[in-house]
């Protein structure tokens, strides 16, 4: 199973305001909103997807904005930082841009020899930009040039009381330990989609309490349903309790709780976000799962306007 996982597919987090979340990721960070739909399990709540032009796996940050949700509390058993790759030499420009926008938590650090700018999203989300030699094509439709724009995910960091069992799980998924710095161990896929890095930070901290600003789950990419079933069988044989395959319209998904408490998903690269919209118009219209189509009139009346 060494080549089955291709890297991150998407990262899904919680928010307290759809309009504020949309403005931050499309306006401040310059990503493209590639899908405007609703939560399958709570259709009165948006599911918003942001990424590159096509929503390529490895570039897509998604949010469930529950109106007025209380803010989460950080701790162990969570994804503490979601990092995006940016071109080398651009952190000065990004620090100035984010500072002018009033983004809190700006801090320059160097980890594993990489220049990194830490900052917070609208709900205290733990985010970072990392200078990297990354040739992925960025989205530039929101006023940020190709020489500066986000390339997609660089990595995620998980904060855990005991990193050992999750390290073993990552090994089963094809990741290899690359290096250590302090309490953080880095795992990287030998071949990946550009988003092939997971950092595990061992911490002595109370359990995190999810809320606005918290990551709900991280999804790992596989090419297709055959590859998904292959890894599902391997993980099941290793003792993971995994859901059946679920149709999420734009990918097929399975979910399981990792040993450290973080919810993992395995998502297919197929069929993609252009299955129900032309590429030129992704994310413009409200798209509803078939089971919620009859709610359209009510949802269009009640969902918070995004202001775009």
């Amino acid at each position: 199973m060494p080549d089955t996982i291709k890297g991150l597919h998407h990262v899904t987090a919680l928010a307290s305001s759809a309009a504020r979340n949309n403005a931050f990721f499309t306006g401040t960070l310059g990503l493209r909103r590639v899908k405007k739909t609703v939560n399958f399990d709570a259709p009165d709540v948006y599911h918003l997807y942001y990424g590159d032009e096509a929503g390529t796996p490895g570039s897509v940050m998604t949010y469930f904005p529950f109106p007025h949700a209380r803010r989460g509390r950080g701790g162990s058993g969570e994804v503490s930082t979601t990092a995006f790759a940016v071109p080398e030499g651009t952190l000065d420009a990004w620090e100035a841009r984010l500072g002018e926008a009033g983004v809190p938590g700006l801090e320059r650090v160097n980890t594993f020899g990489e220049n990194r700018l830490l900052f917070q999203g609208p709900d205290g989300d733990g985010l970072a930009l990392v200078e990297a030699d990354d040739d992925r094509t960025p989205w530039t439709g929101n006023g940020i040039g190709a020489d500066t724009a986000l390339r997609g995910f660089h990595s995620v960091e998980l904060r855990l009381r005991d990193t050992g069992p999750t390290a073993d799980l990552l090994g089963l998924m094809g990741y290899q330990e690359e290096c250590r710095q302090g309490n953080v161990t880095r795992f990287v896929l030998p071949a990946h989609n550009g988003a092939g890095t997971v950092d595990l930070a061992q911490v002595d901290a109370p359990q995190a309490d999810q809320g606005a600003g918290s990551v709900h789950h991280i999804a790992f990419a596989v090419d297709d349903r055959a590859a998904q079933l292959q890894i599902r069988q391997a993980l099941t044989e290793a003792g993971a309790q995994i859901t059946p395959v679920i149709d999420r319209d734009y990918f097929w998904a399975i979910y399981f709780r990792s040993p450290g408490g973080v919810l993992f998903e395995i998502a297919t690269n197929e069929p993609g976000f252009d299955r129900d919209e032309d590429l030129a118009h992704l994310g413009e219209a409200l798209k509803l799962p078939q089971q919620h189509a009859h709610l359209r009139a009510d949802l269009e009346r009640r969902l918070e306007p995004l202001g775009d």
Side-chain angles (χ1 to χ4, degrees), residues 118-182:
L118 306 177
F119 61 101
Q120 294 178 8
D123 292 293
D125 325 47
L127 302 171
L129 301 178
V130 181
E131 290 186 341
D133 182 10
D134 191 319
D135 62 3
R136 286 177 287 176
T137 302
W139 170 249
T140 58
N142 288 333
I144 298 176
D147 58 346
T148 305
L150 277 61
R151 265 47 185 171
F153 293 125
H154 172 275
S155 58
V156 290
E157 181 182 278
L158 281 60
R159 302 179 75 213
L160 309 170
R161 282 182 173 273
D162 181 3
T163 59
T166 300
D168 292 341
L169 171 62
L170 291 176
L172 178 63
M173 294 168 62
Y175 285 81
Q176 298 178 5
E177 181 178 330
E178 183 176 83
C179 51
R180 300 188 182 194
Q181 181 175 322

Side-chain angles (χ1 to χ4, degrees), residues 34 51 66 72-73 91 109 148 184 202 250 258 267 280-281 287 304:
V34 295
F66 287 86
R73 186 189 69 238
L91 285 190
V109 298
T148 305
V184 182
Q202 187 151 317
Y250 311 108
S258 67
H281 298 286
K287 296 296 181 180
E304 180 184 0

